[in-house]
């Protein structure tokens, strides 16, 4: 339980903390798969910056959760477009997968855009896509699925291994072990 001393007063007399303090408190108190998506969202919407978070954390001095908070800030990236992508990045960290860059445009040899990927490890020629069920729901679900299938086919023809993850995959170690094995094999054969 945290004190809200120093919190500013807002409507209806509720005491709240600033966004920066809230993000740092959550990062100190909760697992990375909670705090990193929150920080990513704030960065993506230009509500804060990494330097503001780092400076405020340094000004706090030593306190419980500081290491976890520094890790959350180090993992944060405003390029990620969904909480699922943020959780996936946390899983990469937990499994020692370091080569993935978010939101990379992949082109064919002629320079035509094939896709913008959720994550790309260029060296290993590995792509990870994180898709929620809503992507294929509704009126256009069948068309979206077909577009995704054609896109994956084009990426595979360009020499990439595509891993499709769902929300439930983010809470299982097996998909990440498969990705890790694939990347290790790619790097050892290079």
């Amino acid at each position: 339980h945290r004190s809200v001393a120093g919190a500013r007063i807002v409507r209806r007399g509720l005491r709240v903390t600033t966004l920066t303090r809230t993000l740092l408190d959550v990062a100190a108190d909760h697992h990375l798969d909670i705090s990193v998506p929150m920080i990513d969202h704030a960065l993506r919407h230009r509500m804060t910056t990494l330097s503001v978070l780092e400076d405020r954390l340094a000004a706090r001095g030593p306190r419980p959760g500081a290491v976890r908070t520094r890790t959350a800030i180090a993992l944060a990236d405003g390029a990620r477009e969904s909480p699922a992508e943020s959780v996936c990045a946390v899983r990469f960290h937990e499994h020692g997968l370091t080569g993935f860059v978010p939101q990379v445009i992949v082109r064919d040899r002629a320079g035509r855009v094939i896709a913008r990927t959720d994550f790309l490890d260029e060296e290993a020629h590995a792509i990870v896509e994180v898709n929620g069920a809503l992507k294929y729901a509704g009126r256009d679900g069948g068309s979206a699925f077909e577009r995704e299938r054609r896109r994956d086919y084009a990426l595979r023809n360009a020499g990439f291994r595509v891993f499709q993850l769902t929300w439930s995959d983010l809470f299982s170690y097996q998909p990440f072990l498969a990705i890790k094995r694939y990347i290790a094999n790619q790097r050892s054969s290079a």
Side-chain angles (χ1 to χ4, degrees), residues 106-179:
V106 175
R107 299 177 185 275
D108 65 15
R109 291 186 182 167
R112 293 180 300 258
V113 173
I114 299 173
R116 186 176 69 158
T117 63
D118 290 342
F119 295 98
L120 170 67
D121 182 325
E122 181 101 37
E123 180 186 346
H125 285 40
I127 292 171
V128 174
E129 295 291 316
V130 185
N131 299 308
L134 289 178
K135 184 172 190 171
Y136 305 115
R139 281 186 320 155
D140 195 38
S143 297
F145 179 77
E146 183 59 30
R147 282 190 304 274
E148 190 77 20
R149 192 180 67 74
R150 284 193 306 267
R151 179 180 175 273
D152 279 5
Y153 186 73
L155 289 167
R156 286 185 175 102
N157 280 342
F160 293 95
R161 169 68 162 87
V162 181
F163 294 88
Q164 291 285 348
L165 303 182
T166 63
W167 259 107
S168 62
D169 291 330
L170 299 177
F171 299 94
S172 174
Y173 66 90
Q174 284 114 346
F176 294 94
L177 292 179
I179 294 167

Side-chain angles (χ1 to χ4, degrees), residues 9-155:
I9 306 268
V10 294
R11 292 187 264 164
R12 300 182 186 148
L14 296 175
R15 292 167 53 95
V16 298
T17 60
T18 65
L19 174 67
T20 301
R21 177 172 170 190
T22 300
L23 292 172
L24 295 176
D25 287 349
V26 169
D29 294 344
H30 297 280
H31 191 272
L32 294 170
D33 60 10
I34 301 293
S35 60
V36 172
M38 292 175 71
I39 296 170
D40 283 355
H41 178 84
L43 293 172
R44 184 172 49 260
H45 294 283
R46 295 177 175 25
M47 300 162 79
T48 191
T49 66
L50 289 174
S51 61
V52 165
L53 294 170
E54 290 164 347
D55 292 349
R56 186 64 190 113
L57 178 61
R60 288 177 133 187
R63 58 173 53 188
V67 171
R68 183 177 23 237
T69 304
R70 276 193 292 284
T71 302
I73 293 169
L75 289 175
D77 189 327
R80 298 186 197 117
E81 296 180 338
S82 72
E85 290 176 22
S86 299
V87 172
C88 187
V90 169
R91 298 301 182 249
F92 290 156
H93 169 73
E94 292 170 346
H95 291 278
L97 295 163
T98 59
F100 284 101
V101 177
Q103 302 305 320
V104 177
I105 293 175
V106 175
R107 299 177 185 275
D108 65 15
R109 291 186 182 167
R112 293 180 300 258
V113 173
I114 299 173
R116 186 176 69 158
T117 63
D118 290 342
F119 295 98
L120 170 67
D121 182 325
E122 181 101 37
E123 180 186 346
H125 285 40
I127 292 171
V128 174
E129 295 291 316
V130 185
N131 299 308
L134 289 178
K135 184 172 190 171
Y136 305 115
R139 281 186 320 155
D140 195 38
S143 297
F145 179 77
E146 183 59 30
R147 282 190 304 274
E148 190 77 20
R149 192 180 67 74
R150 284 193 306 267
R151 179 180 175 273
D152 279 5
Y153 186 73
L155 289 167

